[in-house]
Amino acid sequence: MRDRPFVRREGTGFSVRFAGAQRPLLQGALLWLAHRREGEPALTVWAGCGRQRLERLAEMLDAGEQTLLTVADLHVLHAVLLSVPSMFASEEAFHTQLGFYRENALALAGGLVRAVQEAAGSEG
């Protein structure tokens, strides 16, 4: 799986196009976390937001090829990509639940940061 989405600066936010399996991985992780039994405080520690925002971000990713995201939205995606893999006791459990490997989530988290940094650095 490609580890970097395509990102370009758009006003105060970023226009992001996730490639291939990146979008399903993110949506799966967002919804898996949103539907856990823990309350809002635990979700906020893991993801930086509550259930409603996790679900809204999953919907936004499903809305089209390009998604306009704020830096705060990108932070939530990054936090979810780093948090969710640590919640599984094994690689097999993660793969069974989400259909991806933990290394895919961790690589996408790093790729997202690099792509955003590159897009922010290309400002004139």
Side-chain angles (χ1 to χ4, degrees):
M1 171 184 351
R2 178 180 164 82
D3 67 349
R4 287 180 65 163
F6 299 95
V7 178
R8 76 172 191 274
R9 187 77 170 168
E10 183 121 354
T12 59
F14 293 87
S15 179
V16 183
R17 182 169 59 89
F18 294 100
Q22 293 172 346
R23 186 180 308 271
L25 168 57
L26 271 168
Q27 288 173 309
L30 286 163
L31 294 174
W32 183 87
L33 186 56
H35 295 120
R36 287 183 58 89
R37 287 189 237 185
E38 286 86 356
E40 294 291 310
L43 290 176
T44 302
V45 170
W46 280 319
C49 67
R51 184 169 282 106
Q52 223 174 17
R53 186 163 181 203
L54 292 171
E55 290 173 343
R56 183 180 57 80
L57 282 168
E59 288 173 15
M60 287 173 63
L61 293 175
D62 204 30
E65 192 172 308
Q66 294 285 133
T67 307
L68 187 59
L69 298 167
T70 65
V71 171
D73 292 334
L74 291 164
H75 171 71
V76 170
L77 297 182
H78 186 260
V80 167
L81 288 168
L82 293 179
S83 295
V84 170
S86 70
M87 295 176 187
F88 290 88
S90 69
E91 182 71 45
E92 182 180 359
F94 183 83
H95 189 268
T96 299
Q97 284 291 309
L98 295 176
F100 296 92
Y101 295 102
R102 290 191 272 201
E103 70 184 50
N104 298 133
L106 299 175
L108 182 53
L112 180 61
V113 171
R114 287 189 305 277
V116 168
Q117 178 61 34
E118 205 171 90
S122 66
E123 294 177 327

